[in-house]
Amino acid sequence: MSAFSIRFQPEADDALLAEADAIVQRFGARVTWEHSPACKRTYGLVEGADAACASALREATRAAVLDRPIIALAITPSLAEALPPLLHALGGPGRPAGVLACEPIGGTAIVEWDLDATPFDVVLGLVDIEIDRFRARRVNALLSPLPLEWWTRIAATGLRSPDITAQRVLEEQLEVHGVLD
């Protein structure tokens, strides 16, 4: 376990985040946070950590500590009628293998999945199939921080450019070589 996601639901306050930050730093890892007041959640991506760090976070906070990084995406269809079929497709029987959770918050579907198990375009393709039945549109909001490898994988797929990799990201190379701290 080198990277994993954590979720606070309802969203975490500053004191809880400071406690989580201290635990992560104690294990020599780093954490990146994303807050969504609208969805009442806070997600974190912990990188450079081990199982002991995950265990300490579980014990000391009320966070859901997942065993891997996840993508958390809020999908809001323009028509309320499109939401129930969308929730069923992403959260019901036959959902894509990588989908870990799909639940409604108001008129929004919050879907969490593992990109290593189900590609980004498969999930969004399924979303589009479901909402197109209603001639609806969608608004997406990314709720969770992602590892650089996932960002580059999504970009490479979307741009049809398989040569886009984390090793080609300038900022990453500058950091690896000690130019940026």
Side-chain angles (χ1 to χ4, degrees):
M1 171 181 294
S2 151
F4 58 88
S5 292
I6 62 176
R7 176 185 63 237
F8 288 98
Q9 183 181 358
E11 75 179 305
D13 61 20
D14 290 340
L16 196 51
L17 291 179
E19 182 179 358
D21 283 337
I23 292 167
V24 169
Q25 289 173 4
R26 190 169 65 233
F27 284 92
R30 66 184 180 279
V31 63
T32 307
W33 299 107
E34 286 291 333
H35 308 283
S36 175
C39 295
K40 298 178 177 69
R41 296 174 184 223
T42 299
Y43 287 91
L45 174 66
V46 180
E47 296 178 284
D50 59 13
C53 179
S55 179
L57 282 166
R58 266 189 205 96
E59 291 174 20
T61 69
R62 60 174 170 76
V65 179
L66 301 136
D67 63 350
R68 66 193 120 192
I70 63 159
I71 293 178
L73 191 65
I75 304 164
T76 307
S78 61
L79 295 173
E81 296 82 17
L83 185 61
L86 180 61
L87 292 167
H88 181 73
L90 292 172
R95 70 181 176 266
V99 174
L100 306 171
C102 182
E103 64 183 276
I105 293 184
T108 297
I110 307 297
V111 61
E112 298 176 353
W113 84 94
D114 178 354
L115 187 67
D116 288 333
T118 302
F120 194 79
D121 55 338
V122 168
V123 171
L124 287 186
L126 182 56
V127 168
D128 288 339
I129 287 169
E130 290 301 324
I131 67 169
D132 280 351
R133 293 177 22 206
F134 298 89
R135 299 197 188 286
R137 305 250 185 262
R138 63 178 159 84
V139 174
N140 299 333
L142 181 63
L143 304 177
S144 60
L146 303 179
L148 179 61
E149 292 79 21
W150 285 16
W151 280 114
T152 56
R153 186 182 316 164
I154 292 166
T157 301
L159 295 171
R160 295 187 179 126
S161 183
D163 57 328
I164 298 174
T165 64
Q167 293 74 30
R168 298 202 55 200
V169 175
L170 179 61
E171 293 82 359
E172 176 69 8
Q173 292 306 307
L174 292 173
E175 189 174 316
V176 165
H177 295 291
V179 177
L180 294 177
D181 289 328

